[in-house]
Amino acid sequence: MAILEIQNVSKLFNDQVVVTDISLDIKHGEFFTLLGPSGCGKTTLLRMIAGFSKPDSGRILLEGKDITNLPPEERPLHTIFQSYALFPHLTVAENVAFALKMAKMGDVPKEQIKILVEKILVDVQLINFANRYPHDLSGGQKQRVAIARSLVDRPKLLLLDEPLSALDARLREHMHIELVKLQEETGVTFIYVTHDQSEALALSSRIGVMNKGKIEQLDKPQAIYSKPETYFVADFLGKCNLLAAEIIEVKKHAIKLKVSDILEFDLEQENTEDFKVGDKGWFSLRPEKIKANRNEPEDEELYTAKATVKGYYYYGDVTLYILLLENGVKLQVMLSNTRAKPTAFFDEEEEIIISFEPGSGNFLSK
Amino acid sequence: MLESKPSRVLLFLGALGYLFLYIPIAILILYSFNESRVNVGWVGFTLKWYKVLFTDKQLMIAALNSLIIAVISSVVSVILGTLAGVALNRYKVPFLSILVMIPIAAPELLVGVSLLLFFLMINFTLGLVSIILAHTAFCISFVAIAVKTRMHGMDNSIIDAARDLGANRFQAFYLVLIPSILPGIIAGGLMAFTLSIDDFVITFFTAGVGSSTLPLTIYSMLKIGVTPEINAISTMMIIITIILTAIATKISPQLFR
């Protein structure tokens, strides 16, 4: 069941379209992520859901009720801001109690406020900081106060606007676990905005990848990563080889591709009706899907080609090799450093054989 | 760790600066307790100049006038100046920042003359009200600047956060915005009060018969010569200023950090 329905929403700023005709259903209890580069319109969309700005056209429904024109204080949802936006003149406990004191639906009695505030402060492990002021807290603690403040009155929806971007990498990973745990425990639907693709993949039940005011692809993390539908999605999420490709033959359950002018192989497709010979596009292939060897591999399922090592980047757990195909086209290959010796597999200028399953890549027509 | 002890040279220069600022004031206070009628040599301790002061009806009326003017014009300019400061920070109003700066930057003489011409033009009787209006006019700018500066370092999303958590426009304003800029408001108010209570030039042009303020009265007394009576009244003004500053420091310690 959809808790939030976004119907044909568009927004212009100074005649520039920032959100273009977006329609989107957010399911009850899901961890939904809007992922995209800065300026793609994801924060604008979030601010329209929160009520800080109004769409120029379209409607937003919460549990079937039109909230498009409601002011923010009348929407049963909360936002976690990038800067935390804690009230500097109030203590941690007073910050957390704010929403309950404002309470739209009837007054919450004082004793009840105290109990609820204490309970949520225990949940976020800040009960000993209840009487401190925000300027006495660390970044991670401020973050947890912001979360507690927004969850204390059990909103129907929690909007998170790049909430972890101000934290260092270690703390961010810790907060990932905390956020998923809190979301599962409270059952509150999360809409999470980020430009960090690994964060999106790790946290979300579904991801909407946004680009230039539109949602390019909407799916589960695994599907977004392994079956990107557009050049932008393949390029934005993780590392990806994007090679020019052309269809040279359309079969019943496969298309034959000519990739980078020298590679030719069949790519299986469930349905080939939409393809025709001469269609141009890209073949996307993740660097970790490619194997590299000194000799020809025996597996016949694999497609092989010759390549020359041009250089590598050592990341510790993996090494990224930059290879050149015979016609000079660049290819990235990621190899796990599984051996005991910390030395590179290959030397520069070494000629090797690369191999991959064609099915681990995708043909992108746009 | 940061080096927390200043060097000897720095300490010496600092002390020199403070001496330059405070020695004249210290002498002024000292001589308010001097027996002698003239400020030349120390004769002996007395409190009689304070007694003279409190029996001087003209001076007492002037002090009361100054107090009334300072209180009303600082209260009014705190209200209007806060709104202007918030507007300066939140909205892009064309020319607003220049309009706010002009009363601070313009020569006092010019402001005084123009206000006098204005009051005469609209046939406004010069008196306490005209002084209050004149003082409010330039104090608003100081409050606005103090509030704007305070808001500058503030996270603007706290207003959005207040709305998001269920506060309406007005609740967000008085429950979140005002308390978080209070140090700026207090600073602006104190500045307005002190500027108003010792203003001479603008008051000189906008005062009428029977509305003489303390600075104006002291000035007319000076024509006869510097008497210990003036030392005494000045000492009292200094004490009031010190008390006010102490109170402000206590109310909002961040103000003076």
Side-chain angles (χ1 to χ4, degrees):
Chain A
M1 186 197 123
I3 187 165
L4 188 80
E5 293 159 70
I6 296 167
Q7 300 175 342
N8 308 97
V9 164
S10 293
K11 178 77 186 176
L12 292 100
F13 271 130
N14 305 327
D15 297 333
Q16 286 270 72
V17 184
V18 277
V19 169
T20 314
D21 195 27
I22 284 185
S23 291
L24 181 65
D25 281 1
I26 310 287
K27 290 180 206 151
H28 203 285
E30 78 173 326
F31 195 128
F32 186 86
T33 298
L34 285 168
L35 173 68
S38 52
C40 72
K42 57 191 192 302
T43 297
T44 306
L45 185 60
L46 199 76
R47 288 181 66 82
M48 288 192 282
I49 300 171
F52 300 126
S53 78
K54 286 206 172 74
D56 292 314
S57 62
R59 297 200 304 164
I60 299 171
L61 307 180
L62 183 69
E63 292 185 324
K65 190 180 151 235
D66 191 339
I67 59 162
T68 318
N69 292 311
L70 281 187
E73 65 267 25
E74 286 172 33
R75 302 183 183 207
L77 51 86
H78 294 321
T79 308
I80 292 190
F81 296 84
Q82 202 170 350
S83 59
Y84 318 131
L86 300 181
F87 305 133
H89 61 292
L90 299 180
T91 63
V92 167
E94 287 165 343
N95 261 284
V96 173
F98 194 86
L100 296 170
K101 285 179 182 164
M102 292 298 111
K104 304 142 203 171
M105 294 144 214
D107 283 340
V108 184
K110 262 197 178 149
E111 314 84 68
Q112 182 70 9
I113 291 179
K114 200 167 170 257
I115 292 165
L116 286 170
V117 168
E118 273 176 14
K119 195 187 162 296
I120 195 118
L121 283 180
V122 170
D123 286 350
V124 296
Q125 292 149 40
L126 282 173
I127 191 67
N128 295 329
F129 295 84
N131 295 319
R132 299 265 193 105
Y133 282 90
H135 59 81
D136 282 337
L137 303 180
S138 71
Q141 289 166 336
K142 283 182 192 166
Q143 179 66 73
R144 301 213 304 271
V145 176
I147 292 170
R149 186 176 71 172
S150 297
L151 284 175
V152 71
D153 64 340
R154 289 297 151 102
K156 295 196 185 340
L157 209 57
L158 188 66
L159 312 176
L160 302 99
D161 184 8
E162 310 223 7
L164 307 182
S165 58
L167 303 178
D168 63 57
R170 217 168 223 291
L171 203 53
R172 204 154 53 217
E173 270 178 38
H174 177 73
M175 287 305 296
H176 286 166
I177 301 165
E178 296 268 304
L179 275 178
V180 171
K181 210 174 93 191
L182 267 172
Q183 200 265 335
E184 281 169 0
E185 277 170 10
T186 56
V188 172
T189 309
F190 278 26
I191 301 181
Y192 193 93
V193 159
T194 184
H195 63 266
D196 183 331
Q197 40 99 11
S198 60
E199 202 167 274
L201 291 170
L203 300 178
S204 323
S205 39
R206 276 197 311 156
I207 299 174
V209 184
M210 280 188 75
N211 182 33
K212 292 178 182 158
K214 285 187 176 159
I215 291 185
E216 290 236 350
Q217 193 172 349
L218 182 70
D219 218 324
K220 293 197 167 76
Q222 294 87 339
I224 296 260
Y225 186 78
S226 61
K227 292 269 173 233
E229 282 166 5
T230 66
Y231 183 97
F232 173 81
V233 174
D235 191 37
F236 188 71
L237 270 99
K239 292 188 174 67
C240 198
N241 292 299
L242 286 152
L243 307 168
E246 186 182 345
I247 298 176
I248 51 172
E249 195 184 338
V250 177
K251 301 173 183 174
K252 199 173 177 209
H253 284 296
I255 48 171
K256 189 166 193 182
L257 292 177
K258 188 173 189 139
V259 174
S260 295
D261 295 328
I262 50 165
L263 313 177
E264 275 179 31
F265 49 80
D266 283 355
L267 184 61
E268 282 180 26
Q269 298 285 329
E270 268 184 44
N271 201 333
T272 56
E273 281 170 18
D274 297 338
F275 299 107
K276 60 180 195 293
V277 173
D279 279 358
K280 285 188 175 138
W282 297 272
F283 181 68
S284 72
L285 188 62
R286 300 271 179 208
E288 72 273 16
K289 302 286 187 194
I290 305 174
K291 296 187 177 83
N293 290 289
R294 292 202 168 83
N295 310 311
E296 192 94 11
E298 283 168 21
D299 193 339
E300 285 182 7
E301 293 281 295
L302 295 176
Y303 181 82
T304 59
K306 282 182 192 152
T308 313
V309 178
K310 272 293 152 196
Y312 58 84
Y313 298 94
Y314 177 72
Y315 287 107
D317 52 346
V318 292
T319 301
L320 185 74
Y321 288 87
I322 309 297
L323 309 179
L324 289 186
L325 294 176
E326 279 176 306
N327 63 348
V329 170
K330 211 158 88 179
L331 197 68
Q332 299 182 345
V333 174
M334 181 109 72
L335 299 178
S336 285
N337 294 327
T338 48
R339 296 187 309 174
K341 273 195 201 163
T343 49
F345 285 109
F346 306 113
D347 298 320
E348 284 185 31
E349 298 304 327
E350 195 175 338
E351 295 208 353
I352 57 167
I353 309 281
I354 57 146
S355 56
F356 58 89
E357 289 174 51
S360 62
N362 297 281
F363 176 70
L364 312 172
S365 59
K366 55 184 180 196
Chain B
M1 271 297 274
L2 275 169
E3 208 181 328
S4 55
K5 249 186 176 170
S7 76
R8 277 159 193 272
V9 181
L10 217 55
L11 269 175
F12 177 72
L13 289 175
L16 218 61
Y18 278 114
L19 283 177
F20 179 72
L21 286 172
Y22 286 107
I23 279 188
I25 295 176
I27 292 172
L28 180 137
I29 293 174
L30 189 71
Y31 273 80
S32 73
F33 299 107
N34 194 0
E35 273 279 3
S36 165
R37 247 227 90 84
V38 282
N39 280 324
V40 180
W42 181 259
V43 178
F45 182 84
T46 180
L47 282 174
K48 75 172 176 196
W49 304 119
Y50 289 87
K51 233 177 274 168
V52 172
L53 199 67
F54 283 104
T55 48
D56 185 333
K57 208 173 163 207
Q58 191 201 351
L59 210 56
M60 282 297 106
I61 289 172
L64 190 67
N65 281 345
S66 278
L67 208 63
I68 292 169
I69 292 163
V71 168
I72 296 178
S73 58
S74 55
V75 167
V76 175
S77 55
V78 157
I79 295 166
L80 297 176
T82 301
L83 297 176
V86 173
L88 273 174
N89 191 276
R90 293 273 281 187
Y91 311 105
K92 297 230 177 309
V93 187
F95 304 116
L96 183 63
S97 61
I98 298 171
L99 288 175
V100 168
M101 280 305 288
I102 283 174
I104 296 176
E108 264 199 278
L109 193 67
L110 196 137
V111 177
V113 172
S114 63
L115 279 165
L116 174 65
L117 289 174
F118 173 72
F119 285 134
L120 291 177
M121 205 175 78
I122 62 167
N123 234 339
F124 196 92
T125 318
L126 296 180
L128 280 188
V129 181
S130 64
I131 301 174
I132 289 170
L133 287 174
H135 283 198
T136 306
F138 73 83
C139 286
I140 286 176
S141 300
F142 286 93
V143 178
I145 298 291
V147 169
K148 185 195 161 201
T149 311
R150 172 72 194 179
M151 281 187 84
H152 192 70
M154 211 180 77
D155 178 7
N156 272 327
S157 57
I158 62 168
I159 302 302
D160 282 345
R163 297 289 303 278
D164 184 72
L165 293 166
N168 61 35
R169 260 169 208 284
F170 302 104
Q171 288 171 319
F173 185 77
Y174 69 77
L175 290 176
V176 172
L177 182 62
I178 294 296
S180 55
I181 59 173
L182 197 60
I185 296 174
I186 293 174
L190 278 169
M191 231 188 307
F193 187 87
T194 47
L195 284 168
S196 166
I197 207 152
D198 75 351
D199 179 78
F200 179 79
V201 180
I202 292 173
T203 317
F204 181 76
F205 285 101
T206 51
V209 184
S211 62
S212 185
T213 64
L214 209 49
L216 293 187
T217 310
I218 291 174
Y219 178 72
S220 63
M221 285 164 72
L222 274 173
K223 284 175 189 162
I224 307 156
V226 184
T227 61
E229 212 180 332
I230 291 174
N231 287 8
I233 184 90
S234 306
T235 303
M236 299 212 24
M237 281 177 83
I238 289 164
I239 290 167
I240 290 171
T241 312
I242 291 171
I243 291 171
L244 276 179
T245 315
I247 292 170
T249 318
K250 186 116 183 150
I251 295 173
S252 86
Q254 302 105 303
L255 196 68
F256 296 93
R257 241 182 239 160

